[in-house]
Amino acid sequence: MFRFLILAALLFAPLTTGFAQAAESPRTPQELVAELPTADFERKTEIVNALAASGHPRAGLIIGALGAGTLFSSADGKIVLQTSEDGKSYSDALTGNLISGLSEDQLTKIGVNNRLRRDLRGLSARLSLMSLDPQTRRKSAADAFTAHDPETLPAIEEAMKKESVPSIRQALDEARAAIVLQSDDSSQNDKLTAVNTLRARGDRDALNALLGLRTADSQTLRNAAAAAVKDVESSLAYWGALQNVYYGLSLGSVLLLAAIGLAITFGVMGVINMAHGEMIMLGAYTTYMVQQVLASAAPALMPWALPLAIPMAFLVAGATGILIERSIIRFLYGRPLETLLATWGLSLLMQQGVRTIFGPTKKPVTAPTWMSGSFDIGHLTITFSRLAIIIFALAAFSLLTMFLKRTHFGMQMRAVTQNRKMASAMGVRTNWVDALTFGLGAACVGAAGSMLVLIIDVTPPLGPAYTLLAFVIVITGGLGSMPGALLGGVLIGLTEAMAGLFFTPSAKSMFSFGLLVLVLLFRPQGILGKRLS
């Protein structure tokens, strides 16, 4: 009998060894995911660890969805991810392919308990922080700083040892510091080091983390946090001032765009055009119409709608300006009061006409995707839309200045301005120079309206506010002086931005008009204007 058992053991040994090897062989991600709905919590922990170790490209998404409660199993055994908050869109967990025809009542959520949820957070953070994609690692480090989750601390420390990109390593160090400050298990030395790390970061999030130490048990820690808070607040005040200077420059560029045409029509021709702001309105509505036409006729060109709208707005506003000069202004030269009243009435007429055609509500104008977003210089946020306005304003100013100084028409325009009778005697058709000059001023403002849609609402009454500020800029800088218009735009923009720190939007404009009063008292011709004879 004993010999029989030995013989049986020798015969079945290869089979049992094979079974053991098969049981211990690694399972595929498909098999692991398929087991999740029926596994208990302990087995789910083993499954997600094995899935993370498998290197599957969607392992992080699956683990994150399991922890967030958005991983489901269907009646036919599919494991799906919820891809929209309304529960109407699902995709295959392993392939990412969208699955149609599923509803929430046809699915069963794969549940987790609190312990497994904590493990999933740490594992998900580890996968993100160890990703091959630097942008994914950078975003994960930023998320870890915001979350302050102590479960992610081991993953952060492990990632710091392997991180080779200095900026990402610094972000990881800051995330670790934010977690250490809130941990009761951290030593005082670790917390003091974390305080210095957040002091170096110096932004609003770091300040909020440091303010949490005001009630710390250690006096040393409270003193260190107080000193760090003072340094961060000073740094934020410095960067805040720079941010407002940038806002002031961008606002000044907006106002320069509005004043560029007025510098010609008022500063050169001496015409008080109260319908000046309506040229901005025409440019804005032209941009709206271009976007509407492209959206229906050529959607592929929508990213270039704004660049295409600028020359269209230039032509529409320019043609309107010539029409206004030929039909109204040319009969009122030398009669400034009548010109003011006539153009004021024209302003009301144009507003009502646009309101009748397009309605009184705000019209949507979207910025191109390549002009959205921002980037940071230190703690200074530079938005692409405002930067584009600054660049456009400087380019328009430079081109217009070169046009007036280096072209034949520019020479004729300056000749008519300096001595109309002599220019007429030399063969210059002064009436057409007047019309084209007025049209050029209106065209510049119309093109400005195309850019201003990035930061203003497209509504019928948008013009009058810019008309008043444009007059302030032209008079402050100097009548007939293009450099004066540039200087006036920057000064008024900075004045409005700085006054906005302490006063309401309705009250801050009094500083701009106060600056105008001072200029008129001490230099009536404007800062860069020629002295009146």
Side-chain angles (χ1 to χ4, degrees), residues 184 188 191 212-222:
D184 295 333
Q188 179 169 293
K191 290 190 175 184
L213 295 178
R214 289 177 296 184
T215 58
D217 295 334
S218 170
Q219 182 65 40
T220 302
L221 191 57
R222 289 200 301 272

Side-chain angles (χ1 to χ4, degrees), residues 151-173:
E151 301 296 331
T152 63
L153 187 58
I156 292 173
E157 293 176 339
E158 180 183 357
M160 288 177 62
K161 297 176 183 178
K162 299 180 180 180
E163 184 57 62
S164 58
V165 180
S167 60
I168 302 179
R169 180 179 174 82
Q170 180 181 353
L172 290 169
D173 191 23

Side-chain angles (χ1 to χ4, degrees), residues 28-48:
T28 65
Q30 290 78 5
E31 293 172 335
L32 292 170
V33 171
E35 190 183 346
L36 279 173
T38 58
D40 58 24
F41 295 130
E42 186 175 350
R43 177 56 185 158
K44 284 178 181 176
T45 303
E46 297 173 357
I47 290 173
V48 295

Side-chain angles (χ1 to χ4, degrees), residues 463-493:
Y466 287 99
T467 299
L468 288 176
L469 286 175
F471 273 103
V472 171
I473 290 169
V474 172
I475 296 172
T476 300
L479 296 179
S481 172
M482 293 297 290
L486 175 62
L487 178 61
V490 172
L491 286 178
I492 298 302

Side-chain angles (χ1 to χ4, degrees), residues 489-503:
V490 172
L491 286 178
I492 298 302
L494 290 175
T495 299
E496 293 254 331
M498 294 304 176
L501 292 175
F502 309 102
F503 297 92

Side-chain angles (χ1 to χ4, degrees), residues 82-112:
Q82 181 179 315
T83 56
S84 65
E85 294 183 359
D86 58 6
K88 296 182 180 180
S89 179
Y90 298 90
S91 64
D92 187 276
L94 287 166
T95 65
N97 297 329
L98 291 177
I99 301 176
S100 58
L102 283 180
S103 60
E104 193 170 355
D105 56 356
Q106 297 175 315
L107 301 172
T108 303
K109 182 187 294 186
I110 301 178
V112 296

